[in-house]
Amino acid sequence: MSWVTKTLNSTLGRKLIMALTGLFLILFLVVHLAGNLQLLANDGGRMFNLYAESMATNPLIRVVSILNFVFIALHVAYSVALTRHNKQARPVGYAVTNASANSSWASRNMGILGTILLIFLLVHLRGFWYEVKFGSLPTATYEEGTFKDVYTIVAAAYSNIFYVVFYVVSMGFLAFHLSHGFVSAFQTLGLNHKKYSPLIKKVGVGFSILVPLLFALIPVVMFIQGS
């Protein structure tokens, strides 16, 4: 077994992979949010459809999209591996514990939060990505040309109150997941300093609130507009 394999299979290596893939996914969330906010342009879906077309045809974006799926798979796989390792390392709980005093609720339940978010992601991909790739979509014609009308399936999904509630609740779980994962990723990379850590923590808290809130706002606004 090479030193690379040994490193990646070690606890430190697994945490490093978790941190790097997590930071990539955090960056992806920002880009994805910027695109999704175009759903609120109130232009019949024109801006969003143009954005969706660029995502589907731009070679660089397509490579990033593939990497995104790979990193999600790695993030999930290494998360499961670390969880199992931690349980095996401490099969019997302490006689007296005070977990709430030593760690946040999010940090103690990252496995549960991650599982819920994985379920949301699978539902989300099935409803949108799968339909765009393999479904039969109507087209929309603008000055720039004729494109798949992706806006139509998004608007249809966000007209369903049950899906809107599911989406908003899932964003709440994402907020908790990010509240711990953001800071944890920087700590794993060794960026844990008394001078910078407070700032990283504040940015992490702000990010974990703002990004999920904006994501949740989109289906709520579209549902209200369509009612």
Side-chain angles (χ1 to χ4, degrees):
M1 184 181 293
S2 67
W3 68 270
V4 175
T5 305
K6 288 182 179 179
T7 301
L8 292 179
N9 285 327
S10 67
T11 301
L12 179 59
R14 291 170 180 173
K15 288 183 177 180
L16 181 61
I17 294 296
M18 284 285 292
L20 292 174
T21 55
L23 289 175
F24 176 87
L25 295 175
I26 284 172
L27 179 60
F28 174 79
L29 282 176
V30 175
V31 176
H32 192 50
L33 175 61
N36 281 11
L37 284 173
Q38 295 178 70
L39 287 164
L40 304 181
N42 196 27
D43 59 357
R46 176 179 173 275
M47 289 297 296
F48 182 75
N49 283 334
L50 293 178
Y51 156 75
E53 179 69 15
S54 67
M55 291 287 288
T57 57
N58 187 307
L60 178 60
I61 297 299
R62 293 178 69 178
V63 171
V64 172
S65 179
I66 293 172
L67 288 175
N68 187 50
F69 284 115
V70 172
F71 288 158
I72 288 174
L74 286 174
H75 198 73
V76 172
Y78 276 84
S79 174
V80 172
L82 280 171
T83 300
R84 288 181 176 177
H85 177 270
N86 292 336
K87 288 184 178 181
Q88 291 173 354
R90 194 176 63 190
V92 180
Y94 296 123
V96 178
T97 61
N98 190 12
S100 61
N102 300 317
S103 60
S104 66
W105 181 88
S107 66
R108 299 192 306 273
N109 294 277
M110 287 295 279
I112 296 174
L113 292 171
T115 300
I116 294 172
L117 291 175
L118 180 60
I119 293 172
F120 164 77
L121 181 62
L122 293 175
V123 173
H124 192 64
L125 288 174
R126 175 61 184 85
F128 297 105
W129 178 84
Y130 181 86
E131 290 298 323
V132 172
K133 289 292 184 180
F134 307 107
S136 179
L137 296 182
T139 58
T141 302
Y142 311 110
E143 294 180 1
E144 294 82 356
T146 300
F147 310 102
K148 288 184 177 180
D149 192 2
V150 183
Y151 179 84
T152 298
I153 62 171
V154 177
Y158 292 165
S159 66
N160 185 326
I161 184 61
F162 297 105
Y163 187 83
V164 171
V165 171
F166 170 68
Y167 194 105
V168 171
V169 171
S170 297
M171 290 305 98
F173 286 118
L174 175 62
F176 280 111
H177 194 76
L178 288 172
S179 68
H180 173 70
F182 190 99
V183 175
S184 179
F186 283 96
Q187 290 178 341
T188 299
L189 295 176
L191 302 175
N192 190 15
H193 189 276
K194 63 180 181 180
K195 184 177 180 179
Y196 306 112
S197 292
L199 176 61
I200 292 174
K201 186 174 182 179
K202 289 179 181 178
V203 172
V205 171
F207 185 92
S208 66
I209 294 174
L210 181 61
V211 171
L213 181 62
L214 289 175
F215 268 117
L217 183 67
I218 295 170
V220 171
V221 171
M222 292 185 69
F223 177 80
I224 294 173
Q225 289 177 341
S227 299

